[in-house]
């Protein structure tokens, strides 16, 4: 069964905890938190509003939904489990951008996707809502219950409202994370180029031979190429300082 509701929580339906949670989400929209902190807060708020046994947050990255946060610990799946748009109930919600609520036997829904590593695959009730930012899909929030559970109108409204409120925040945090990663990659590339130059100058190696030497040292010492490059650069700087004394 598919349910779609306006993104608002009425005063007569909303309880104090819901309004407090939504107010807190709104208050923190301007906070420049990293992505993992934003998603952890989303999971905490959703879990407090709807007493659920599981809560997942998927983030759209490229053409895939990536599991980025979970109420229950899933170190083997968080940041690794991906879904295509249209795959499973979660992918259906992302593709159609509207909530889906299943009260029982969610695993029998023809749209359901099984992941053997997740115990939640056998949970009875399933509620999935899209996370949007200016009508663009940002991700999906899922809540699940071990036992059958009829999702009340205010529950769906509340989580849909959270999806609406946090969409821009998640998108900004994701972009910040991507920018930080790109900056780190650029810094590593600069270090590698500098280290290769030192090896080429001192040992008469070609660029490819210098790169392979750094890679080999990394494997032997169980260090990253960046760590080896930094060691080469520091060693060169120390030698130069010694010569100047």
């Amino acid at each position: 069964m598919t349910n779609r509701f306006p993104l608002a929580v009425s005063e007569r339906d909303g309880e104090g905890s819901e309004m407090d949670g939504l107010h807190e989400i709104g208050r923190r929209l301007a906070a420049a938190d990293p992505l993992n902190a934003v998603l952890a807060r989303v999971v905490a708020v959703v879990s407090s509003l709807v007493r659920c046994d599981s809560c997942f947050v998927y983030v759209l990255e490229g053409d895939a939904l990536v599991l980025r946060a979970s109420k229950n610990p899933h170190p083997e799946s968080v940041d690794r489990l991906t879904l295509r748009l249209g795959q499973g109930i979660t992918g259906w919600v992302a593709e159609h951008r509207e909530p889906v609520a299943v009260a029982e036997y969610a695993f029998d829904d023809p749209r359901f996707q099984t992941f053997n590593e997740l115990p939640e695959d056998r949970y009875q009730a399933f509620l999935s809502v899209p996370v949007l930012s200016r009508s663009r899909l940002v991700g999906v929030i899922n809540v699940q219950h071990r036992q059958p559970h009829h999702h009340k109108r205010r529950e769906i409204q509340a989580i849909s409202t959270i999806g609406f409120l946090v969409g821009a925040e998640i998108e900004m945090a994701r972009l910040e994370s991507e920018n930080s990663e790109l900056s780190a990659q650029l810094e590593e590339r600069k270090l590698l180029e500098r280290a290769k130059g030192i090896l080429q100058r001192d040992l008469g190696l070609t660029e490819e031979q210098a790169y392979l030497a750094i890679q080999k040292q990394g494997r032997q010492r169980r260090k990253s190429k960046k760590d080896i490059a930094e060691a080469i650069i520091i060693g060169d700087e120390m030698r130069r300082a010694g010569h100047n004394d």
Side-chain angles (χ1 to χ4, degrees):
M1 179 180 68
T2 301
N3 292 308
R4 188 169 188 173
F5 296 93
L7 299 180
V9 180
S10 67
E11 288 291 337
R12 66 175 181 276
D13 291 334
E15 297 181 358
S17 61
E18 291 181 357
M19 295 306 297
D20 290 343
L22 295 179
H23 176 74
E24 175 65 11
I25 285 287
R27 187 181 70 82
R28 294 298 301 273
L29 280 176
D33 288 338
L35 181 60
N36 61 343
V38 172
L39 299 180
R41 188 166 69 250
V42 171
V43 169
V45 172
V46 169
S47 300
S48 68
L49 294 184
V50 178
R51 302 301 179 184
C52 56
D53 297 309
S54 170
C55 178
F56 291 143
V57 180
Y58 290 82
V59 177
L60 181 66
E61 299 180 12
D63 296 327
L65 292 164
V66 182
L67 177 60
R68 289 299 186 192
S70 171
K71 176 183 177 181
N72 303 324
H74 289 299
E76 74 288 351
S77 299
V78 173
D79 298 329
R80 295 181 177 87
L81 180 59
T82 62
L83 287 168
R84 300 183 309 275
L85 296 185
Q87 183 181 7
I89 295 178
T90 304
W92 189 97
V93 167
E95 186 174 50
H96 293 270
R97 303 184 184 185
E98 60 180 87
V100 166
V102 182
E104 59 183 354
Y105 304 115
F107 40 79
D108 287 337
D109 189 287
R111 296 165 295 188
F112 192 81
Q113 175 72 47
T114 298
F115 296 101
N116 293 329
E117 68 267 31
L118 295 177
E120 288 87 344
D121 287 347
R122 302 307 298 173
Y123 285 10
Q124 288 270 348
F126 194 106
L127 171 62
S128 183
V129 301
V131 179
L132 304 173
S133 174
R134 297 182 181 179
S135 300
R136 294 192 304 272
L137 179 73
V138 173
V140 176
I141 299 172
N142 291 345
V143 297
Q144 294 172 263
H145 296 80
R146 291 187 179 89
Q147 300 302 321
H149 177 84
H150 177 72
H151 300 94
K152 298 177 182 177
R153 177 185 178 89
R154 63 178 178 81
E155 290 178 337
I156 301 174
Q157 287 179 324
I159 299 178
S160 294
T161 301
I162 291 173
F164 175 75
L165 289 174
V166 302
E169 187 181 14
I170 291 175
E171 186 172 41
M172 286 187 294
R174 182 181 61 79
L175 290 174
E176 283 291 330
S177 178
E178 289 178 355
N179 289 337
S180 296
E181 185 175 340
L182 288 173
S183 296
Q185 290 174 354
L186 180 60
E187 179 63 24
E188 180 176 351
R189 182 176 299 178
K190 289 179 179 178
L191 290 172
L192 285 172
E193 290 299 320
R194 188 175 170 189
K196 286 190 299 181
I198 294 170
L199 295 181
Q200 288 175 262
R201 182 197 68 208
D202 292 351
L203 303 179
L205 302 179
T206 66
E207 183 178 359
E208 182 179 3
Q209 288 171 333
Y211 176 80
L212 292 175
I214 293 172
Q215 189 178 55
K216 182 179 180 180
Q217 284 293 312
R219 287 198 299 266
Q220 290 177 344
R221 300 184 184 185
R222 296 183 180 180
K223 300 285 188 179
S224 69
K225 292 191 292 292
K226 180 183 177 182
D227 289 338
I228 299 300
E230 288 177 333
I232 292 171
I233 294 168
I234 291 172
D236 182 66
E237 290 176 345
M238 291 178 66
R239 285 193 301 272
R240 287 175 175 273
H243 290 156
N244 293 332
D245 287 344

